[in-house]
């Protein structure tokens, strides 16, 4: 199989977002999500795509009983050059240099740190609905519906997405990997959330950084930690946003 690099044009990206948001609910909304699910990797171009997989229907690959789906991603750029390029794009997205987040204010949230599945990570934050984590279902299309203030970090590779709009919930849970350091992840989302008038707290230990914020209506949590392969694994959890 041949892996090739593809940059999605802005017009196409806008079309994908429109597809993800069309419909007013029920069967129409489910159909839109199903159509968009296989396109979620376009959320943070440029991404690596496998030419031999572009004709496969992945609509059902984001559904797996008992836990998240196993998503096989083609290789993507990593290392210092890739990290530097991602940081440049993050600064462009933020309108300039990104300031460091405040120092850690205490111990990390153990619920978020130890969570295995999306529903458990959702339990680390509050939101307008009740038991939103239990209502979460997996589907790559949820990554297309993240709040505008909390996009996937530039050049991040999506590995999991879940969410729910049931019972008053507006839950989005995303996991991705990136070559940048955990501190760069926290700095980026702190800058984005501060611009959106969120009140936040930063917590960290030797392995994990967490940023938890609220605006009185919704709440979010971002978590980043280094993996054994040198990449950073990051989670975004948002409810009510």
């Amino acid at each position: 199989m041949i892996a090739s690099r593809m940059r999605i044009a802005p017009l196409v990206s806008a079309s994908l977002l429109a597809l993800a948001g069309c419909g007013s609910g029920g069967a129409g909304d489910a159909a839109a999500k199903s159509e968009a699910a296989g396109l979620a990797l376009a959320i943070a171009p440029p991404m690596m795509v496998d030419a031999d997989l572009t004709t496969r229907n992945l609509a059902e690959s984001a559904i797996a009983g008992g836990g998240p789906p196993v998503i096989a991603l083609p290789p993507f750029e990593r290392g210092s050059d890739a990290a530097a390029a991602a940081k440049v794009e993050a600064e462009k997205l933020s309108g300039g240099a990104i300031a460091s987040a405040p120092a850690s204010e205490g111990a990390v949230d153990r619920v978020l740190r130890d969570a295995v599945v999306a529903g458990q990570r959702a339990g680390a934050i509050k939101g307008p609905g009740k038991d939103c984590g239990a209502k979460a279902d997996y589907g790559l299309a949820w990554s297309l519906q993240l709040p505008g203030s909390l996009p996937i970090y530039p050049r991040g590779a999506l590995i999991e997405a879940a969410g729910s709009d049931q019972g008053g919930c507006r839950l989005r849970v995303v996991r991705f990997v990136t070559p940048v350091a955990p501190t760069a992840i926290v700095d980026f989302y702190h800058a984005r959330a501060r611009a959106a008038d969120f009140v936040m707290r930063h917590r960290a230990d030797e392995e994990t950084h967490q940023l938890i914020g609220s605006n009185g209506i919704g709440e979010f949590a971002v978590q980043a930690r280094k993996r054994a392969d040198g990449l950073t694994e990051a989670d975004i959890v948002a409810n009510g946003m």
Side-chain angles (χ1 to χ4, degrees):
M1 295 190 290
I2 301 174
S4 60
R5 181 172 176 173
M6 179 175 68
R7 187 179 286 271
I8 306 298
L11 180 59
V12 176
S13 297
S15 299
L16 297 184
L17 293 173
L19 175 61
C22 68
S24 58
D29 186 57
K33 290 179 180 178
S34 179
E35 289 295 324
L39 303 176
L41 293 182
I43 198 70
M47 293 295 298
M48 295 297 293
V49 296
D50 193 319
D52 293 340
L53 300 180
T54 55
T55 58
R56 290 177 57 183
N57 181 358
L58 301 180
E60 301 303 323
S61 67
I63 301 174
V70 177
I71 304 173
L73 293 177
F76 73 107
E77 294 181 356
R78 60 182 71 194
S80 58
D81 289 344
K87 288 180 180 179
V88 168
E89 292 184 21
E91 289 182 349
K92 290 180 179 179
L93 190 60
S94 300
I98 299 174
S100 297
S104 171
E105 298 178 18
V108 299
D109 184 307
R110 293 184 178 182
V111 173
L112 181 59
R113 182 196 64 187
D114 299 337
V116 176
V117 297
Q120 293 172 339
R121 292 195 289 280
I125 66 171
K126 299 177 181 179
K130 294 183 178 180
D131 300 323
C132 293
K135 299 180 177 71
D137 63 278
Y138 287 92
L140 296 183
W142 291 111
S143 67
L144 294 171
Q145 302 178 53
L146 284 168
S149 56
L150 300 173
I152 292 177
Y153 193 92
R155 297 179 181 248
L158 177 68
I159 57 176
E160 179 187 314
S164 176
D165 285 329
Q166 301 179 36
C169 301
R170 184 169 175 77
L171 176 67
R172 307 291 184 261
V173 186
V174 165
R175 172 167 285 181
F176 63 93
V177 292
T178 172
V180 305
T183 51
I185 294 295
V186 170
D187 293 346
F188 173 75
Y189 288 108
H190 181 269
R192 299 283 301 183
R194 182 179 57 184
D197 295 325
F198 276 79
V199 176
M200 294 164 283
R201 59 189 182 276
H202 174 210
R203 297 177 175 178
D205 59 23
E206 293 181 355
E207 298 180 353
T208 304
H209 285 262
Q210 296 175 342
L211 187 67
I212 300 175
S214 173
N215 64 356
I217 300 175
E219 188 167 328
F220 78 90
V222 169
Q223 177 170 261
R225 51 190 166 192
K226 208 71 172 180
R227 303 198 319 183
D229 61 2
L231 296 175
T232 292
E233 184 175 270
D235 299 304
I236 303 172
V237 187
N239 198 1
M241 300 172 61

